[in-house]
Amino acid sequence: MGYEVDFIGVGKESKSGDAIAIRFGNLYGGRDEQTVVVIDGGFKDVGAEVVSHIKQHFGTDRVDLVISTHPDQDHINGLETVLMELTVNELWMHLPWTHNQGLADKFKDGRVTDNSIGERLKDSLEKAWSLFCLAEEKNIPVYEPFTGLSHTSGHICILGPSESYYEELIPQFDGMPAAKEQVEASFLDKVASQLKQIFAFWGEDKIYDDGVTSPKNNSSVITQLIVDGKRMIFTGDAGIEALSHAADQFEQCVDPAPLRIVQIPHHGSRRNVGPTVLNRLLGEPLSEGEERELLAVASTAMQGEPKHPRKAVLNAFTHRGARVLVTRGSGICSSSEAPQRSGWSPVNPEPYHYTWEEE
């Protein structure tokens, strides 16, 4: 059994996004011996690239499963084209407007109701609502990807979020009324931007366990794929809190398959990973020159730096033995037991960064 995992290039300028196309099974056999999966579709114009990629490289116009990790435009907008132009058997996405029971009690304004909150979520998450409506129109079954959901192929399962954790996050989504207990969110703080020179030496993690990302990002679907004794994890924009919950599931998994591919969350943002959760998922840091058989990929825009990716994040994955790749607006494919592709060549791993400029 083989696989192809394609991180499709998103962001020809400075805005990063995610679009991943996956094929696994007998890749030398017929379509019925293979499973095709799409995780996110990038911006609207990327949807056509995803469609073209699947037709050209996977030789099919049928997708077994589409997963929308969360409703940010750089992840969800292109999926409309995927659903319109390909035959999609199943869509996994969260439906926050259906999790509105008792939600009105969470807010200061006593005039809001559970129904009005549900309608507000449809309005504020317009692209998610329209994608759901399109799926219904095309009779595509929709399932919510909470912890433990698995695909009929037997190779895919969801590590996070749990339904209860997801429902904790909804009241904090953008566009919601003021909560009864308003929490200061460090990720919303506005500070003056100033570049500074950073110096590092091998093994020094310049990321921290107190990083905070938005509730919507923490609602990202975290997907595990195990093929031919190799484990892969796709993280969307999940932050430390969400990844820590997923690590609980990761550690409890009875399948001993070692981790071979991991998506660096949120395009390599520094607030999404910390040393503790990386140690749980990847293993403890190694000595300089040591490596694990592990590929870590950050999907970033061509001109996304210094924000996407952060050099400190890339170094942290390198410390733990990963071979780190960055898309920078171009496609990257990792494959095993798969036909060779004409015109595709090996990508040089990211060098270790001893100095860089950072905001």
Side-chain angles (χ1 to χ4, degrees):
M1 179 176 287
Y3 63 79
E4 292 173 309
V5 177
D6 290 298
F7 291 83
I8 295 171
V10 178
K12 303 307 178 189
E13 296 181 355
S14 61
K15 292 184 178 180
S16 300
D18 275 330
I20 303 170
I22 302 168
R23 178 172 69 141
F24 61 88
N26 178 10
L27 303 191
Y28 294 93
R31 175 63 179 87
D32 291 342
E33 299 177 81
Q34 304 165 10
T35 300
V36 174
V37 181
V38 171
I39 302 178
D40 287 335
F43 297 102
K44 183 177 180 180
D45 60 345
V46 178
E49 295 181 40
V50 175
V51 169
S52 175
H53 185 95
I54 289 171
K55 288 181 176 179
Q56 178 182 354
H57 296 295
F58 295 175
T60 184
D61 61 2
R62 177 164 55 90
V63 176
D64 298 283
L65 173 63
V66 169
I67 301 175
S68 173
T69 63
H70 67 297
D72 278 349
Q73 63 176 352
D74 58 313
H75 293 252
I76 197 171
N77 283 14
L79 291 180
E80 182 174 304
T81 303
V82 173
L83 264 61
M84 286 291 294
E85 299 190 13
L86 298 174
T87 300
V88 174
N89 292 351
E90 207 167 299
L91 171 63
W92 289 5
M93 65 176 292
H94 292 136
L95 311 175
W97 48 85
T98 68
H99 296 267
N100 59 332
Q101 188 172 0
L103 213 54
D105 294 337
K106 305 285 186 183
F107 304 105
K108 290 179 181 178
D109 190 344
R111 295 169 297 178
V112 300
T113 65
D114 288 351
N115 285 340
S116 69
I117 291 298
E119 292 304 312
R120 186 183 288 230
L121 283 163
K122 291 177 185 177
D123 291 340
S124 63
L125 304 174
E126 178 188 0
K127 287 299 181 182
W129 171 246
S130 64
L131 186 69
F132 170 71
C133 291
L134 176 61
E136 285 209 314
E137 179 186 323
K138 296 178 73 65
N139 295 314
I140 300 170
V142 179
Y143 302 95
E144 291 199 89
F146 294 121
T147 302
L149 179 67
S150 59
H151 188 251
T152 53
S153 67
H155 296 274
I156 300 169
C157 77
I158 299 303
L159 299 182
S162 66
E163 186 170 5
S164 59
Y165 177 57
Y166 183 78
E167 290 179 344
E168 289 176 17
L169 295 171
I170 292 175
Q172 305 170 62
F173 280 12
D174 296 342
M176 291 291 95
K180 284 183 177 178
E181 297 181 5
Q182 195 71 42
V183 179
E184 280 298 321
S186 62
F187 58 86
L188 293 178
D189 291 344
K190 302 296 183 183
V191 295
S193 177
Q194 184 176 358
L195 287 177
K196 56 183 178 180
Q197 193 79 10
I198 304 294
F199 299 92
F201 57 85
W202 178 270
E204 180 185 17
D205 280 329
K206 288 189 175 290
I207 57 170
Y208 308 96
D209 287 332
D210 59 357
V212 178
T213 190
S214 73
K216 194 194 295 183
N217 283 346
N218 265 330
S219 76
S220 292
V221 179
I222 302 173
T223 306
Q224 175 178 270
L225 169 65
I226 299 179
V227 177
D228 197 26
K230 301 178 179 70
R231 188 188 311 268
M232 306 162 217
I233 296 180
F234 305 94
T235 59
D237 283 354
I240 292 172
E241 186 176 72
L243 291 169
S244 297
H245 292 318
D248 294 339
Q249 302 299 315
F250 178 82
E251 291 167 347
Q252 294 168 19
C253 184
V254 296
D255 193 313
L259 184 62
R260 289 292 178 255
I261 298 176
V262 61
Q263 178 188 11
I264 298 176
H266 200 187
H267 326 296
S269 175
R270 68 183 172 192
R271 289 176 172 163
N272 287 68
V273 291
T276 299
V277 74
L278 284 188
N279 289 347
R280 294 179 67 190
L281 292 171
L282 311 185
E284 298 285 336
L286 302 177
S287 299
E288 187 170 5
E290 289 188 299
E291 289 186 354
R292 292 184 168 97
E293 193 180 337
L294 173 62
L295 179 67
V297 181
S299 181
T300 74
M302 187 180 297
Q303 301 170 27
E305 296 174 88
K307 184 178 179 182
H308 294 153
R310 296 286 186 177
K311 299 296 193 299
V313 172
L314 303 182
N315 279 357
F317 278 81
T318 303
H319 290 159
R320 288 157 181 83
R323 187 166 62 95
V324 176
L325 301 181
V326 180
T327 63
R328 293 190 175 91
S330 299
I332 289 177
C333 174
S334 177
S335 63
S336 174
E337 300 295 327
Q340 289 216 340
R341 290 186 188 170
S342 175
W344 289 64
S345 57
V347 179
N348 291 325
E350 194 74 8
Y352 192 77
H353 298 281
Y354 292 96
T355 182
W356 63 89
E357 285 191 334
E358 185 173 279
E359 292 178 348

